[in-house]
Every structure is written in C-alpha cells, then in structure tokens.
Amino acid sequence: MKLSRRTTATAAALATVTLGATLAATAPASAAVPTAPKAAKAAYNGVCGSGFKVIDSTPVGNVGTVYLTWNEAKGQNCAVTIRNKAGAKIYMSVTLEIPEEHNPIVSDTGYYTSYAGPVYLGAGGYCVNWSGAIGSATGADSGHCG
C-alpha cells in the first residue's frame, strides 16, 4: 500500500510540474517582459494667470511640453514651455505668432531650470502658431483661431 501512495504522490507532483510548465510556455510574451515606463508629461503650471485655459499642448521631444492657453475675456493667447522635471539651467524657448504678414512674433529664450515664458499675444480673429525648445528637443504646432 505504501508503494501505491508513493506512485500516486509522484504522479500528482509530475502533473503539477507539467501543468506549470505548460502555463508558462503559453503565457503571452508581453506578460514576461516588463515595458519601460513612459516619461511623465509636464503639468501646466498656471503661469499665464487667471482666466487662461489650456486649449492645446505639444510635446517637446520627451523632455517637456509647450502649452497654448486662451483667455476669452481678453481675446489673448499665452504660451509656455515646461520641462518634465526641473533641473540644471538649460537652453529653453517658447514662441507664439500670428502667421500673417506683418503680424507680431513674441518669444522668450534663455537658460532656465523649469520653464520658458509665458509669452502673450492678442489674437482675437487670428490663428496662431506656437513652438518651444528644451536643449536640442523641439516641438511646434498651429491652429486655434480666436
């Protein structure tokens, strides 16, 4: 009787090992390989002031974001380039323009630790372009007619 108990126990153990190996072999590859975490998007910091609401944003490489905001009451846009993570001073810029001939371009460039700008442009009735840079990374977009 002891022999048959050992045989049964051995058979059960082999079945468990075999089932475990089968489950591991059939698991999706994505379950076995962890994915790299995405860089956190820079949060808008409210630097444009009261009444300005974010209407668009554009990534600056994987190191930051350019935010475009609009104040309906003032008919004015504001843009700011924000780093994902503040650090040592680095070249940064933000530019806002109306792409019509003879219309203004406003920009802020320099060496900053966390953001460039804000820059403001009265743009009621016009479309705008905005762009930003952090080090060698750039981002730009257009649209939003006010």
Side-chain angles (χ1 to χ4, degrees):
M1 189 134 209
K2 285 185 179 179
L3 184 58
S4 67
R5 284 187 191 170
R6 280 189 190 160
T7 305
T8 305
T10 303
L14 284 172
T16 302
V17 169
T18 303
L19 179 61
T22 302
L23 290 174
T26 59
S30 62
V33 178
T35 56
K38 291 183 179 180
K41 180 179 176 179
Y44 173 64
N45 58 7
V47 72
C48 289
S50 174
F52 284 89
K53 298 194 183 326
V54 173
I55 58 172
D56 211 338
S57 64
T58 302
V60 179
N62 61 0
V63 294
T65 305
V66 181
Y67 285 96
L68 177 68
T69 67
W70 172 253
N71 185 313
E72 182 70 34
K74 294 182 178 182
Q76 192 174 48
N77 283 104
C78 174
V80 59
T81 300
I82 304 174
R83 288 172 77 174
N84 290 345
K85 184 177 178 184
K89 287 185 178 183
I90 189 170
Y91 173 79
M92 295 181 69
S93 71
V94 62
T95 301
L96 186 56
E97 68 176 310
I98 299 171
E100 307 287 327
E101 188 175 335
H102 303 299
N103 281 317
I105 297 173
V106 292
S107 64
D108 178 36
T109 62
Y111 288 82
Y112 303 112
T113 60
S114 58
Y115 66 91
V119 294
Y120 299 90
L121 185 60
Y126 293 97
C127 301
V128 296
N129 296 340
W130 64 97
S131 62
I134 301 171
S136 61
T138 61
D141 210 339
S142 62
H144 294 289
C145 306

